[in-house]
Amino acid sequence: MTLALEATDVVAGYGEAEILHGVSIAVEEGEMVAIIGPNGAGKSTLLKTIFGLIPTRAGSVRLGTNDITSDRPDSIVKAGMSYVPQVENVFPSLSINENLEMGAYVRQDGLRERLEVVYDMFPDLTSRRGDGAGKLSGGQRQMLALARALMLDPQVLLLDEPSAGLSPKMVDSIFSKIVDINLAGTAVLLIEQNAREALSFSHRAYVLVTGENRMEGDAKTMIDNEEVGRLYLGE
Amino acid sequence: MSIVPAQFNDRLTSLGEQYRRFSETTATALLWVLISILFLWAAIFETDLFIAGMIVGSVLALGAIGLTLIYSILGFANFAHGDTMMLGAYVAFFLLTGIVVGEKPNIDLDVGWSLNRMPGATAELWDLSFGWGLLVAIALSMFVMAAFSIGLDRVVYRPLRRRGSGIVIFAMAALGVAFSIRAVMLIIWGPDPRRYVQGIHYANHYPFGVVLKTDQIFIFLVAMGLAAVMYFVLFHSKLGKAMRAMADNPDLALVSGINTDRIVMWTWAIGGGLMAIAGALLAIQALLRPILGFELILPLFAATILGGIGKPQGAFIGALVVGVSQESSIVFFSAGYKPAVAFVILVFILLLRPRGLFGTAS
């Protein structure tokens, strides 16, 4: 198998504070990988560092065969990776269509065709193309955020808690949408608070604690792991 | 521990929310009604002043659109906007006449090169008071001011952004830039009023007692045309959509793959170009004075805040309202109180509806 994304011994943080003390993760092509761990473990910081929003102090990040360590986000987007932040992940004063166009900002051509493909994946958005994104409900916003990130047909998708703040029903439809996206060939690296559910549909998982790798392995076996269950699945 | 049942608490909160929404909707509606009454009254009973106000307002709109764009994308109030407008007007003056202030009082120095010396550059176009020389001077000034604004950002504002400076630091920096620009204008062109074209030009009479110079019609058409171009750019071009996206959420713009540094550069280029044209258009019908830029600050901010700061369409409407109010105020007060009108509008809007006509809750 070829690696789609590989972060090796990544050290990063804010100002004086070092949050990540050498974290390594790898995502194979077409794989779904979950990162779980307690609050403050540095999960979001890891995604931001991988995406070039926070400088990498040591270690390296590779996307396929490219070294993207500390690259600018716009060049990382061009290289084939998209990222959906946890909150404020749509442009509220832009229409749904304009939000999707912004997702394809670095694309030179084929915008129209790609828009139709993405609208087909998110039929709920199709009838509301001209509506302002600010009027959408929490679940619809999350769908739009996913749709925006898919506009470039990325090889790797980074998701920061896609289920945060959603109703249980909405959580299910977001998760099933993420599974669909993954089945279509996009590798997904996601952070989730709903750890049990995330593990149930992921291939592999990493447990991150205080900025260090604690555990990694097959997602299904991790659900049954006693320590994981006790610490992070609330048993 | 709260002794009020949670349900009751929720009910109270929702009532408060409903009241807030109601009063906001009422305030907006009231504002629109007031604006409509003002425009109707002025248009019907003081047609001449209404037209004059629309002309001033259309030029103010170009400045206000730039001001509101810079606010929404860079997040600070550019107090140097009025002075930069004037600098644009002076740059056009210099390119046109080649004149700078001399060593001795009242004796100007001529650098020996100017557009006015080109053959036919001063020949009056149609019924206008100026020839193609001024048009070329304004167009060149537009590029000069776009480059100047980008350069200013590199030297002053970008270092502040990198350092993560607060809004007060930015405002003080902009104020410093404003003073510096004004001082430079005084040094280079002196305190005495200047004009693009010498001589007397008569106004034409139109129906409903409207007296207008053709220059004024030109000013209005150019300003409105540019406002329309700006609307097209912001709402129908990829660059404009990216600018609005960045105004909404700069972090998300960055992760969408938008090169935010380039958007900042374009914002200054567009803002600077608009400032140059607005300043020059204003100077065609008034005199060039270094202090005029300072006097523009109040109406510019009143227009921007009235429309909802950060909203280009709001800045456009706001500028027309300020222009018409200022001009038609002379029915009631002496013309010397015109600047006070902008101030009253500003205070009124801050009391009634601080986020303006088009502003959204933050």
Side-chain angles (χ1 to χ4, degrees):
Chain A
M1 283 294 256
T2 5
L3 287 179
L5 174 68
E6 185 183 22
T8 316
D9 300 322
V10 168
V11 176
Y14 305 91
E16 300 275 294
E18 188 180 292
I19 311 282
L20 304 175
H21 317 289
V23 175
S24 300
I25 55 127
V27 180
E28 285 174 9
E29 277 180 5
E31 201 183 20
M32 172 103 74
V33 175
I35 304 175
I36 60 174
N39 285 330
K43 294 171 299 203
S44 291
T45 309
L46 177 62
L47 289 200
K48 286 180 184 164
T49 310
I50 289 174
F51 208 69
L53 294 167
I54 300 170
T56 311
R57 294 180 185 175
S60 69
V61 183
R62 299 179 70 82
L63 182 68
T65 52
N66 302 325
D67 186 354
I68 56 160
T69 315
S70 291
D71 273 7
R72 287 179 50 101
D74 52 310
S75 66
I76 292 177
V77 168
K78 264 182 215 155
M81 181 157 69
S82 293
Y83 164 65
V84 180
Q86 185 183 341
V87 289
E88 294 184 356
N89 48 23
V90 300
F91 299 109
S93 74
L94 268 58
S95 70
I96 288 177
N97 210 55
E98 287 172 335
N99 264 276
L100 295 183
E101 283 177 41
M102 288 303 106
Y105 187 77
V106 301
R107 204 183 181 107
Q108 300 300 329
D109 48 7
L111 172 65
R112 223 168 273 267
E113 292 78 7
R114 186 63 194 166
L115 268 174
E116 293 318 310
V117 171
V118 169
Y119 275 126
D120 282 346
M121 295 168 79
F122 297 87
D124 290 352
L125 300 176
T126 315
S127 56
R128 310 185 54 179
R129 293 175 189 221
D131 286 6
K135 291 180 193 146
L136 296 178
S137 70
Q140 290 167 325
R141 269 182 198 229
Q142 206 63 42
M143 289 290 183
L144 177 58
L146 275 179
R148 179 196 57 75
L150 288 174
M151 279 302 290
L152 293 170
D153 194 10
Q155 281 132 40
V156 182
L157 186 59
L158 306 180
L159 302 175
D160 192 345
E161 296 211 21
S163 74
L166 298 183
S167 67
K169 203 179 150 199
M170 209 57 228
V171 169
D172 287 344
S173 48
I174 282 284
F175 282 163
S176 75
K177 194 59 76 180
I178 293 170
V179 170
D180 288 348
I181 293 167
N182 178 241
L183 287 176
T186 304
V188 178
L189 176 63
L190 88 159
I191 299 176
E192 256 307 322
Q193 283 293 331
N194 285 326
R196 180 178 293 280
E197 277 194 74
L199 290 177
S200 72
F201 60 75
S202 296
H203 300 117
R204 284 190 308 117
Y206 290 85
V207 178
L208 218 62
V209 181
T210 57
E212 285 167 355
N213 288 72
R214 171 65 62 87
M215 234 184 277
E216 66 173 276
D218 183 72
K220 278 33 166 214
T221 52
M222 212 174 265
I223 299 182
D224 302 324
N225 182 297
E226 208 176 289
E227 193 191 347
V228 174
R230 187 163 42 80
L231 289 173
Y232 312 118
L233 302 180
E235 282 167 5
Chain B
M1 282 289 285
S2 166
I3 49 162
V4 185
Q7 238 178 332
F8 184 68
N9 238 339
D10 285 353
R11 176 106 185 97
L12 267 185
T13 324
S14 108
L15 270 178
E17 173 71 9
Q18 276 172 18
Y19 171 74
R20 197 184 56 75
R21 273 204 200 136
F22 172 76
S23 66
E24 292 241 323
T25 329
T26 330
T28 318
L30 183 66
L31 215 52
W32 279 112
V33 168
L34 284 175
I35 291 170
S36 311
I37 292 175
L38 168 76
F39 272 52
L40 278 175
W41 166 78
I44 294 167
F45 297 106
E46 304 291 344
T47 315
D48 195 30
L49 297 176
F50 176 72
I51 302 275
M54 291 293 278
I55 292 166
V56 173
S58 67
V59 178
L60 273 182
L62 297 184
I65 289 170
L67 184 64
T68 218
L69 278 180
I70 289 169
Y71 179 84
S72 67
I73 288 164
L74 294 138
F76 75 95
N78 183 20
F79 289 115
H81 216 80
D83 290 290
T84 319
M85 269 169 76
M86 263 350 273
L87 182 61
Y90 269 105
V91 168
F93 169 79
F94 175 70
L95 293 170
L96 184 69
T97 62
I99 285 176
V100 294
V101 77
E103 278 174 48
K104 289 182 187 147
N106 300 324
I107 299 171
D108 287 330
L109 198 72
D110 194 331
V111 295
W113 183 92
S114 68
L115 284 163
N116 268 349
R117 289 196 181 81
M118 312 280 268
T122 52
E124 292 173 13
L125 297 167
W126 307 291
D127 191 32
L128 298 169
S129 69
F130 50 83
W132 63 260
L134 183 60
L135 299 183
V136 174
I138 293 174
L140 289 176
S141 169
M142 187 178 88
F143 289 107
V144 170
M145 292 314 291
F148 173 82
S149 298
I150 293 169
L152 197 65
D153 182 67
R154 292 274 152 92
V155 175
V156 180
Y157 302 116
R158 189 162 77 175
L160 293 180
R161 273 201 301 281
R162 299 244 158 112
R163 222 178 290 161
S165 301
I167 189 163
V168 178
I169 303 292
F170 272 101
M172 289 303 116
L175 215 50
V177 168
F179 290 141
S180 312
I181 289 176
R182 203 177 313 152
V184 166
M185 288 189 291
L186 278 166
I187 292 168
I188 301 180
W189 293 288
D192 297 330
R194 309 259 183 198
R195 56 198 329 170
Y196 286 135
V197 182
Q198 304 297 332
I200 299 164
H201 289 87
Y202 293 101
N204 302 317
H205 290 263
Y206 294 91
F208 303 106
V210 177
V211 180
L212 276 182
K213 290 181 186 170
T214 310
D215 282 8
Q216 288 174 296
I217 297 173
F218 168 83
I219 291 166
F220 183 73
L221 291 179
V222 170
M224 284 299 189
L226 275 171
V229 168
M230 276 314 294
Y231 175 83
F232 182 81
V233 166
L234 283 169
F235 289 88
H236 295 284
S237 80
K238 192 173 172 182
L239 170 69
K241 287 173 190 173
M243 287 172 80
R244 283 163 52 225
M246 199 177 154
D248 256 12
N249 187 340
D251 295 334
L252 189 60
L254 191 64
V255 304
S256 295
I258 295 171
N259 184 338
T260 48
D261 286 346
R262 192 162 300 161
I263 300 296
V264 166
M265 212 182 83
W266 273 109
T267 305
W268 281 111
I270 292 172
L274 287 178
M275 282 189 258
I277 297 175
L281 290 180
L282 208 66
I284 288 177
Q285 68 163 1
L287 295 169
L288 280 135
R289 289 173 296 132
I291 199 72
L292 188 59
F294 175 70
E295 291 166 5
L296 279 170
I297 289 284
L298 208 50
L300 281 176
F301 273 87
T304 306
I305 291 169
L306 172 59
I309 191 153
K311 301 285 169 189
Q313 67 275 46
F316 176 75
I317 304 272
L320 294 182
V321 172
V322 170
V324 170
S325 316
Q326 281 195 341
E327 293 306 313
S328 52
S329 74
I330 66 168
V331 176
F332 308 106
F333 314 107
S334 128
Y337 288 107
K338 272 190 204 173
V341 173
F343 192 67
V344 170
I345 292 175
L346 190 59
V347 171
F348 183 70
I349 194 76
L350 286 174
L351 285 174
L352 186 70
R353 189 179 154 85
R355 55 176 141 106
L357 287 172
F358 292 92
T360 40
S362 48

